[in-house]
Amino acid sequence: LHLNLDDPQASLQTILREAQQRPFAAVLGCDDASTELAALAASELGLPHNPTTAVRLARRKDLAREQLAKANVPVPRHWRLDLTRPLAAQIEDIRFPCVLKPVALSASRGVIRADNFDELTHAAARIQVLLARAGLHDAEERETILVEEFIPGFEVAVEGLLTHGQLDILTIFDKPDPLNGPYFEETYYITPSRLDSLTQQALRVTISTACAAYGLREGPIHAECRINERGVWILEVAARTIGGLCGRLLRFGTGSSLEELVLLHALGERPELQSEVGGAGVLMIPIPQAGILRRVEGVSAAEKVPYIEEVVIDVREGYELVPLPEGASYLGFIFARAPSAAQAEAALRAAHACLHVVVMPLWKGVSV
């Protein structure tokens, strides 16, 4: 079906008309733009779903922070900036270091650390330009920035499935590189996690509590958390799976792809997860600089590194590269599988070192 996600009511009617001819077994949203529509359609069709309010809370970073605070889930001090008003009166109480975030973008887009008022003002102006170009249709999302105290610690990503409010963890990805800013580009995801069992249990409990606070009850969740001496901190819990090709790593440790697991779950089946020995990982290849991609050298050498399964370059030669915080994509992915998580990580680092990205400066034309 051809659906306009900017017109949810018209899209809903399209889905409902089709369901009268060919009933659906499930309706799933695969990204932030479609999760609310999927929940609304599933509700109308009497299929398992999350409440639309819960899905909206999971998608909106500012509303999520407020809801977690109400539920007594530990959250950092946070503030909302209204870009339609002068910033000076809104930033007097902000503590540093802090992190500024658009309230409705994903993949670390527009996320910037600030260590003082000058950096905060500069970051806010930069995000304001990004929001004006992002194509957001909700005026509040275009005009609001979330600011929160920087949370130090080790970061992980978690994939899970909710069934009647009960959370099953599919996998925990370690992010071994420190993510301290000023931008927060994700690179390495390594599994199985090397966190101890007590920390993993605390992670599960905290994510489950956050899901309950939002009202999420059914389907996939993707969580990002930081862990330090004060415990587990929720960065986000999204009512969807991880984006990009990273979901391929779910075959390691489960025996099934993430898509298979989510579809089976939506159909009311609980696949038997297969445990594997060893480790696996993916590198989301960062964009080194802005410009026009000429070529990526060293791919063949990277593929020959022991334990590397595949190197995928997603951007074609001649296309513009836009790094974070304005960018919304990666150069590509490198996948590894090895006898241990540490060896998988080492293989990814060795393969990445083989690559040389040749970028041509982008010359913007000026009309006179």
Side-chain angles (χ1 to χ4, degrees), residues 161-204:
L161 286 171
L162 286 166
T163 308
H164 306 309
Q166 297 298 311
L167 177 64
D168 289 322
I169 299 293
L170 297 175
T171 193
I172 300 172
F173 295 115
D174 289 348
K175 302 182 187 182
D177 276 358
L179 293 169
N180 294 324
Y183 315 124
F184 296 85
E185 187 168 42
E186 297 183 303
T187 50
Y188 296 93
Y189 272 33
I190 308 296
T191 189
S193 174
R194 286 163 277 187
L195 296 173
D196 62 71
S197 59
L198 288 177
T199 303
Q200 292 192 33
Q201 178 60 20
L203 193 64
R204 180 192 303 272

Side-chain angles (χ1 to χ4, degrees), residues 290-292 294 320 359-366:
I292 301 298
R294 294 294 301 273
E320 183 179 358
V359 181
M360 179 178 67
L362 177 64
W363 302 102
K364 300 280 188 180
V366 179

Side-chain angles (χ1 to χ4, degrees), residues 203-220:
L203 193 64
R204 180 192 303 272
V205 169
T206 304
I207 295 172
S208 295
T209 304
C211 290
Y214 296 160
L216 297 175
R217 295 188 52 78
E218 295 291 339

Side-chain angles (χ1 to χ4, degrees), residues 11 21 45 51 72 94 107 133-134 151 156 170 179 228 239 262 291 294 296 301 368:
S11 296
Q21 304 299 319
L45 294 170
N72 295 318
I94 291 178
R133 298 173 176 172
I151 307 169
V156 297
L170 297 175
L179 293 169
N228 57 30
V262 170
R294 294 294 301 273
V296 181
V368 295

Side-chain angles (χ1 to χ4, degrees), residues 45-178:
L45 294 170
L47 299 171
H49 65 283
N50 288 308
T52 53
T53 53
V55 174
R56 179 169 174 77
L57 283 172
R59 189 179 65 82
R60 277 281 299 262
K61 296 178 176 64
D62 55 335
L63 302 181
R65 280 286 183 249
E66 293 171 6
Q67 189 68 16
L68 291 180
K70 290 178 183 176
N72 295 318
V73 179
V75 294
R77 288 193 64 184
H78 53 280
W79 306 262
R80 279 172 46 132
L81 299 183
D82 182 348
L83 295 175
T84 65
R85 298 169 45 218
L87 290 184
Q90 301 181 64
I91 63 177
E92 294 176 351
D93 297 329
I94 291 178
R95 296 183 180 181
F96 297 98
C98 66
V99 178
L100 291 79
K101 303 177 178 181
V103 298
L105 296 182
S106 58
S108 301
R109 192 178 181 198
V111 181
I112 305 175
R113 172 172 166 161
D115 292 337
N116 53 57
F117 286 110
D118 286 343
E119 290 183 5
L120 186 151
T121 303
H122 177 73
R126 193 169 177 179
I127 295 171
Q128 186 170 17
V129 172
L130 169 62
L131 291 174
R133 298 173 176 172
L136 298 171
H137 293 272
D138 186 308
E140 190 176 42
E141 294 174 2
R142 293 196 305 268
E143 298 165 354
T144 306
I145 295 175
L146 173 67
V147 183
E148 58 187 33
E149 286 185 291
F150 172 74
I151 307 169
F154 184 71
E155 190 162 319
V156 297
V158 179
E159 296 299 306
L161 286 171
L162 286 166
T163 308
H164 306 309
Q166 297 298 311
L167 177 64
D168 289 322
I169 299 293
L170 297 175
T171 193
I172 300 172
F173 295 115
D174 289 348
K175 302 182 187 182
D177 276 358

